[in-house]
Each structure stands twice: as C-alpha cells, then as structure tokens.
Amino acid sequence: LYTKGRFFRRGSRSQSYNMSVQELVAGLIEVRSGRFLFCRHRTVSSSLADSRGRDDNLKVNFVLVCLHGTAANHQQFLPFVSALEELVLSANYGSGITLDCWMYDAVGCGGSPALDDADAYSDAEQIEDLMALLQNQVQTENSRIFLLGHSYAPNWIYKFILQQKDLMTSLSKPVDIAGLIIVCSGLHNEQLQMKKGGPTLFKAPLW
C-alpha cells in the first residue's frame, strides 16, 4: 500500500484510476522563529486515469491535521492515517479525491527539540504554532480542513477556533475549519468518574 511517489492503477470494465501515496515531508520545520517542529506530511490521491471531459472542480480535497496530547507524539496517529489512506485507495469518489495528512510533534515532544523557556510550552504558544503551520505550510485553499485532537489537544483547537473568529477581519489568511475529531485517552479509574472509559462522546466511532 505505502510507497514514496509510486502510482497505482485500479481497473474496472468502465473506468480506471490513477492512485498515489506519498510522504512529502518527514523532518524538522521552522514553523516560527526559533521554534522547530518535527512534521510528517503524507498525501494520498485518486483520480480518473482518463481525464477527458473531467471537471477538476469536482475533485474533493481534504486536509487532516493531527494534534497529540500531553507528552505524546505523532506516531500514535499512523494507524488511523493508514486506515484513511486505504479507504481513499479502495473507494470510488467520482472525479477524484486528495487527502493531505499532517502530523507533528509539539515542542519538546517526539522529534521536536525542547526549549529552555517554560513559557514556550504555554497554550498560547501551541496555538501560534498551529496557526503558523496552517498558514505557511499546509495547503488550505480549496480544501476542507479537519483538525484531529487527542487528549489535551482539543483544548488548543477550541482556543484556536475562537481566536480565528475574533481575528477573522484582521487575518491576512484566515483558515476555515470544516470539522473537528476528538479522540480520548481515558483510562479506567473509579475515582475520576471514568469507570467505563470516560464520557459517552468518546465512545462514538471516528468519522
């Protein structure tokens, strides 16, 4: 399934598809001055092999940005992203679909360097990192953008969305968020009201 830059062709009696899975980025990116994050950018796309008469406006572009919880890292999202890639490669989406997945390690986590300043780990700084990544690295134009937050990360996402709303008129490049996926890491704990794994919301299937 997974290769770098290879193309697949799935045939049928009536039509065939060009499909590709690529890893475009896997390394440190300076998202803001002095702040380096380890980022992994994977993309999967499928389109009709015969483009005659195809309307490119019908092609659907999705962007998924994954934010991990406290002291975690991006690798926990890899099985989830791989499952999405398989879905894209196996389904018929008409004129085609592109799925861009961005996963990154927050400052001091995983492959991202730590900083000496304690304030560098504040919510405000994490939100600015997300803003900078979306505005400067992620292809957001003509795309439906979804944010996936694990454990504590939804807190950053909520604040990011509120900040976007407050600054919408002044931002040179506002980011329109199409949806939010919340993933819980709730453990069984009789004393923390998590007897059955946490709130009911987190038992819902990911979609």
Side-chain angles (χ1 to χ4, degrees), residues 123-134:
D123 286 355
E125 293 295 333
Q126 302 291 348
I127 294 167
E128 289 299 321
D129 286 345
L130 175 59
M131 176 81 77
L133 187 71
L134 286 169

Side-chain angles (χ1 to χ4, degrees), residues 8-29:
F8 301 81
R9 175 163 294 181
R10 176 165 60 91
S12 68
R13 292 181 180 179
S14 59
Q15 56 191 2
S16 60
Y17 292 84
N18 285 329
M19 294 173 283
S20 66
V21 182
Q22 296 176 293
E23 181 157 314
L24 303 178
V25 174
L28 290 177
I29 293 177

Side-chain angles (χ1 to χ4, degrees), residues 67-127:
L67 290 80
H68 65 71
T70 305
N73 62 64
H74 79 279
Q75 294 186 33
Q76 65 189 25
F77 295 115
L78 292 176
F80 180 74
V81 170
S82 294
L84 287 178
E85 291 173 346
E86 288 186 30
L87 179 64
V88 172
L89 291 173
S90 63
N92 180 353
Y93 285 94
S95 291
I97 182 174
T98 297
L99 173 66
D100 267 330
C101 293
W102 280 85
M103 299 163 279
Y104 68 92
D105 297 335
V107 168
C109 296
S112 296
L115 297 175
D116 294 333
D117 183 7
D119 291 337
Y121 301 89
S122 68
D123 286 355
E125 293 295 333
Q126 302 291 348
I127 294 167

Side-chain angles (χ1 to χ4, degrees), residues 14-185:
S14 59
Q15 56 191 2
S16 60
Y17 292 84
N18 285 329
M19 294 173 283
S20 66
V21 182
Q22 296 176 293
E23 181 157 314
L24 303 178
V25 174
L28 290 177
I29 293 177
E30 187 173 18
V31 292
R32 293 190 290 141
S33 178
R35 291 180 72 92
F36 291 84
L37 300 180
F38 181 90
C39 295
R40 177 165 281 174
H41 175 202
R42 290 164 60 146
T43 183
V44 56
S45 63
S46 66
S47 61
L48 287 172
D50 185 355
S51 62
R52 290 174 297 179
R54 190 186 73 186
D55 185 356
D56 286 335
N57 291 326
L58 297 178
K59 189 175 181 67
V60 182
N61 299 313
F62 293 98
V63 175
L64 177 68
V65 180
C66 303
L67 290 80
H68 65 71
T70 305
N73 62 64
H74 79 279
Q75 294 186 33
Q76 65 189 25
F77 295 115
L78 292 176
F80 180 74
V81 170
S82 294
L84 287 178
E85 291 173 346
E86 288 186 30
L87 179 64
V88 172
L89 291 173
S90 63
N92 180 353
Y93 285 94
S95 291
I97 182 174
T98 297
L99 173 66
D100 267 330
C101 293
W102 280 85
M103 299 163 279
Y104 68 92
D105 297 335
V107 168
C109 296
S112 296
L115 297 175
D116 294 333
D117 183 7
D119 291 337
Y121 301 89
S122 68
D123 286 355
E125 293 295 333
Q126 302 291 348
I127 294 167
E128 289 299 321
D129 286 345
L130 175 59
M131 176 81 77
L133 187 71
L134 286 169
Q135 290 187 324
N136 302 324
Q137 302 292 336
V138 179
Q139 176 61 42
T140 59
E141 295 182 6
N142 302 317
S143 299
R144 293 175 57 81
I145 303 167
F146 294 84
L147 301 180
L148 190 159
H150 158 250
S151 188
Y152 186 75
N155 181 54
W156 299 334
I157 295 175
Y158 292 145
K159 292 180 178 180
F160 166 78
I161 292 174
L162 291 175
Q163 180 174 308
Q164 281 269 111
K165 182 178 179 181
D166 292 340
L167 300 177
M168 190 63 72
T169 56
S170 60
L171 286 175
S172 59
K173 188 180 178 184
V175 179
D176 184 23
I177 304 301
L180 168 63
I181 302 172
I182 301 174
V183 183
C184 180
S185 60

